[in-house]
C-alpha cells in the first residue's frame, strides 16, 4: 500500500529547463516513478538528445520547446496541450539562471533578466497550468527554490531575490489554489554538483567553504533531490501545500 502512495503512473509531468542539470534529474526521477515526462527548454537539439537518452532507458518522454519568459509562447504551448488532449498533472518550475556580480557593478538589465527567468516565468507557467488543474480539481506544482530562498550570499543578489520570491510565490499559490485541489510546494536545493556550479566546484577555496558550511561536509548530487520531488508530485503529499523542503545537507539549519 505505502509504495502506491508514490506511484506517478498515468500522470504527466512538465519540467521546465530539463535538458540538463537539476531539471534533467527531476524529469528522469519522475519518469522512473511512472510519470509521462514533457521536457522543456529552448534548444531543440539539446532537448531531443536528452529525450532520446531518457527514452532509451524506457521512460515515456516527449518535448515541448518554448521560452518560458515569452508569455505568448507559454499560452500557445498550453493551448496546444489542450488541443492534443495533454493534461499537465505535475508542473516542476525548475528553469533558472545564475548571474554573479556585486550589486554596485550590477546592470539593471542583468538584474531584470534573472528575475524574469527565475521568478516571473514560474508565475506565468504556473498560472497556465493551474488554470487547467483547477478545472480538473487536482494538480501538483513544484517550484524550485534554493538555500538562497532563505539566506543571502554576496554577489548573487538577483538570484537570491528570485529564489526568495519563489518561496513566497509558492505560499501565494497555496493560499489561492489549495481549495481547488492543487498542492503547490517548493524544493530548496543546497550546493549541488551541476553545470551552473562548475566554476564554484573548481574553485578550491569556495569548494572548501561549501564543505565546511554544510553539515554533511559534501556537495549534493542532483539525484538526491529526486525523492523529495516524487513525494511532492505524488498522492503522498495531498495535504502538504505552501511548504519548501530544503535538500541541502543541513546547510540552512546551522550557523
Ligand atoms: C552560488 C550558487 C548557489 C547554488 C544554489 C544553492 O553562486 O552561490 O550558484 O546559488 O547554485 O542555488 O541553493
Ligand atoms: Ca559542463
Amino acid at each position: 500500500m505505502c509504495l502506491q502512495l508514490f506511484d506517478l503512473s498515468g500522470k504527466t509531468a512538465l519540467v521546465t529547463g530539463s535538458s540538463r542539470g537539476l531539471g534533467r534529474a527531476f524529469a528522469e526521477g519522475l519518469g522512473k516513478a511512472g510519470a509521462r515526462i514533457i521536457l522543456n527548454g529552448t534548444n531543440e537539439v539539446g532537448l531531443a538528445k536528452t529525450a532520446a537518452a531518457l527514452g532509451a532507458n524506457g521512460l515515456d518522454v516527449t518535448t515541448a520547446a518554448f521560452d518560458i519568459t515569452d508569455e505568448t509562447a507559454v499560452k500557445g504551448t498550453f493551448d496546444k496541450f489542450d488541443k492534443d488532449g495533454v493534461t499537465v498533472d505535475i508542473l516542476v518550475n525548475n528553469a533558472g539562471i545564475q548571474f554573479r556580480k556585486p550589486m554596485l557593478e550590477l546592470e539593471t538589465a542583468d538584474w531584470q533578466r534573472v528575475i524574469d527567468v527565475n521568478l516571473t516565468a514560474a508565475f506565468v507557467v504556473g498560472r497556465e497550468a493551474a488554470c487547467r488543474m483547477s478545472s480538473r480539481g487536482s494538480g501538483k506544482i513544484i517550484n524550485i527554490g534554493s538555500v538562497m530562498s532563505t539566506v543571502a550570499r554576496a554577489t548573487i543578489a538577483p538570484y537570491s531575490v528570485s529564489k526568495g520570491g519563489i518561496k513566497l510565490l509558492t505560499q501565494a499559490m497555496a493560499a489561492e489554489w489549495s481549495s481547488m485541489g492543487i498542492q503547490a510546494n517548493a524544493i530548496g536545493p543546497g550546493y549541488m554538483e551541476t553545470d551552473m556550479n562548475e566554476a564554484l566546484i573548481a574553485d578550491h577555496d569556495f569548494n572548501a567553504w561549501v564543505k565546511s558550511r554544510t553539515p554533511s561536509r559534501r556537495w549534493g548530487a542532483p539525484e538526491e533531490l529526486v525523492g523529495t520531488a516524487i513525494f511532492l508530485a505524488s498522492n503522498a503529499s495531498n495535504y502538504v501545500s505552501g511548504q519548501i523542503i530544503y535538500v541541502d545537507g543541513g546547510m540552512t539549519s546551522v550557523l
Side-chain angles (χ1 to χ4, degrees):
M1 182 339 233
C2 73
L3 276 185
Q4 268 170 338
L5 271 177
F6 299 90
D7 182 5
L8 303 181
S9 305
K11 303 290 185 190
T12 296
L14 169 64
V15 183
T16 64
S18 47
S19 58
R20 64 193 183 92
L22 299 188
R24 174 175 173 152
F26 287 127
E28 191 158 13
L30 296 180
K32 286 178 179 168
R36 177 178 185 226
I37 299 302
I38 305 174
L39 298 175
N40 160 261
T42 49
N43 175 332
E44 305 219 14
V45 172
L47 273 182
K49 257 172 63 183
T50 302
L54 299 189
N57 286 343
L59 301 187
D60 180 349
V61 187
T62 60
T63 63
F66 63 95
D67 177 352
I68 56 170
T69 65
D70 174 348
E71 187 161 14
T72 307
V74 174
K75 287 175 182 257
T77 299
F78 275 83
D79 288 346
K80 185 171 184 319
F81 287 158
D82 295 343
K83 266 201 288 301
D84 297 348
V86 172
T87 59
V88 175
D89 305 295
I90 302 157
L91 168 64
V92 181
N93 274 319
N94 163 79
I97 57 174
Q98 179 57 282
F99 187 88
R100 302 183 180 101
K101 188 164 277 190
M103 277 192 277
L104 290 182
E105 302 158 31
L106 186 64
E107 303 287 339
T108 310
D110 290 324
W111 162 281
Q112 193 60 54
R113 192 175 73 255
V114 176
I115 301 293
D116 290 350
V117 174
N118 293 10
L119 180 57
T120 305
F123 157 65
V124 171
V125 179
R127 182 189 60 202
E128 291 309 309
C131 149
R132 291 149 176 91
M133 289 171 174
S134 63
S135 61
R136 295 195 299 273
S138 76
K140 298 283 186 179
I141 296 178
I142 303 170
N143 297 318
I144 306 307
S146 162
V147 291
M148 305 305 156
S149 294
T150 186
V151 288
R153 180 175 86 78
T155 75
I156 56 169
Y159 183 91
S160 306
V161 167
S162 71
K163 294 302 185 181
I166 281 290
K167 176 177 182 290
L168 263 293
L169 173 63
T170 302
Q171 291 169 240
M173 286 176 169
E176 294 190 22
W177 297 343
S178 300
S179 60
M180 302 170 186
I182 299 167
Q183 290 83 50
N185 292 287
I187 297 173
Y191 280 79
M192 313 305 283
E193 291 168 331
T194 59
D195 281 0
M196 184 171 79
N197 289 334
E198 215 160 19
L200 302 180
I201 295 165
D203 178 321
H204 177 270
D205 293 342
F206 194 95
N207 194 326
W209 171 77
V210 166
K211 288 175 181 168
S212 68
R213 183 65 182 75
T214 304
S216 301
R217 298 287 179 265
R218 63 180 177 83
W219 291 72
E223 306 73 56
E224 293 184 285
L225 293 163
V226 165
T228 304
I230 292 169
F231 165 64
L232 291 176
S234 73
N235 288 327
S237 61
N238 285 350
Y239 199 54
V240 180
S241 206
Q243 299 302 311
I244 182 164
I245 301 176
Y246 293 101
V247 183
D248 65 355
M251 180 182 259
T252 49
S253 304
V254 300
L255 269 181

